[in-house]
Amino acid sequence: PLMSSEDGSVQIFKVWKNEPCRINSMDFAANGEVLATASDDGTLLIYNCLYETDPKKILCKKFGLANIKFTHHPTAILGSSYQKWDNSIRSLSTHDNVYLREYRGHSDQVTSISISPSSDMFVSGGYDNTVRFWDLRSTACKALMTGSHSPNMVAFDPSGAVVCVASGGIENGVNLYNINNLEKGPFNTLRVPGDGKTIGGVTGVRYSGNGDMLLVITDSGDSFLFDVESGILKRKLSVKNEHKSLLGATFSIDSTQLFMGSEEGFIYSWDVSGESVSAEPQSKWAGRHAGPVACIECNPCFDIVASSCSNTCVWMPTTVGVAGKN
């Protein structure tokens, strides 16, 4: 193995170097056969997860690319512009490198995109204090929420019935909305117990695969794990992030483990399968990351974990089920 975790449970299978440019987002297709990464220089790389081949390179230099998400088709990707002069979202065919649609509406940088797992709806948040709801098949904005703090980080739950919105700092709470009753406002707000002082700016929100847990990631290095049904904070989990870097985190497919990147290039894993969660990680993965681990994703079909800084690392288990897929 190239490198392995300190407990020997996983090892790096492959490393692709993309230095010196940071990878800002990554996503697996729903069939698990394809991985995509987007870099700050406008390069989109498409990896075949079934065969060990070089990735396909697609250049998106004009608009740049960030916040990438596969649609329900493994050759179509949704992403926001990375250029300061353009705030659009575009869908792109990775088969022939053609833009399919352009979604205009945000007046400042888009910070987050989430696609519904059960329909063609997607939601976007931005620095313009708005959250917008769209249909992949139409370029017109379907619904708009205003008056929030910025940036807005958004995520659909696994059922597609609920969307969470975290705006600005974690002290503002995390609002949960019924997708069919947006006009009624949030039906619940998750809050961190405390004195209301700023704890950290929210940089991401992730649901567990079973929908029972929600992780709120902040730029302070502290992430907050909530029980969704009760709204109770299960645990604050912390990693090193002195320079407020963008750090990635994700749940294993079976929702029993949580993986979080750190500023010094390590990945930490926690056991989140029980009622109580330890503040201390159960394992540390030391790989080929020279900088902050900005992205971590689990393959939805195969026992593979991908992570990135300027390099992309693919991790495979030495024992069955590390990523939650047997």
Side-chain angles (χ1 to χ4, degrees), residues 244-303:
K244 296 185 180 295
S245 303
L246 175 68
L247 298 178
T250 193
F251 291 90
S252 61
I253 300 304
D254 64 0
S255 304
T256 63
Q257 296 181 77
L258 174 64
F259 310 123
M260 291 175 54
S262 67
E263 189 176 58
E264 70 266 49
F266 298 129
I267 297 172
Y268 294 91
S269 68
W270 279 265
D271 181 353
V272 295
S273 60
E275 288 296 322
S276 62
V277 176
S278 172
E280 297 299 320
Q282 66 176 357
S283 179
K284 179 175 74 174
W285 305 1
R288 296 292 181 87
H289 291 305
V293 182
C295 308
I296 307 175
E297 295 291 341
C298 287
N299 189 299
C301 299
F302 307 110
D303 213 356

Side-chain angles (χ1 to χ4, degrees), residues 121-249:
M121 179 179 290
F122 73 92
V123 59
S124 60
Y127 274 111
D128 58 356
N129 298 329
T130 70
V131 173
R132 293 176 178 269
F133 294 82
W134 314 80
D135 189 303
L136 286 166
R137 300 164 296 182
S138 170
T139 59
C141 178
K142 301 300 182 183
L144 171 68
M145 293 194 300
T146 61
S148 60
H149 300 272
S150 66
N152 288 289
M153 310 308 295
V154 297
F156 275 102
D157 80 333
S159 72
V162 175
V163 65
C164 81
V165 178
S167 303
I170 185 65
E171 70 279 1
N172 297 317
V174 181
N175 292 318
L176 306 183
Y177 296 85
N178 185 316
I179 200 66
N180 294 316
N181 291 289
L182 294 174
E183 67 281 358
K184 293 185 177 180
F187 65 84
N188 196 9
T189 299
L190 309 181
R191 296 191 182 276
V192 175
D195 56 10
K197 294 182 179 179
T198 299
I199 305 172
V202 177
T203 58
V205 283
R206 299 295 299 254
Y207 273 100
S208 59
N210 58 14
D212 292 344
M213 292 173 285
L214 179 69
L215 183 72
V216 184
I217 310 159
T218 75
D219 59 11
S220 69
D222 295 333
S223 294
F224 301 88
L225 183 65
F226 289 94
D227 178 271
V228 173
E229 183 176 6
S230 67
I232 294 174
L233 177 68
K234 291 172 69 76
R235 178 65 69 178
K236 180 178 77 171
L237 306 172
S238 300
V239 297
K240 185 177 181 180
N241 193 17
E242 294 178 353
H243 298 91
K244 296 185 180 295
S245 303
L246 175 68
L247 298 178

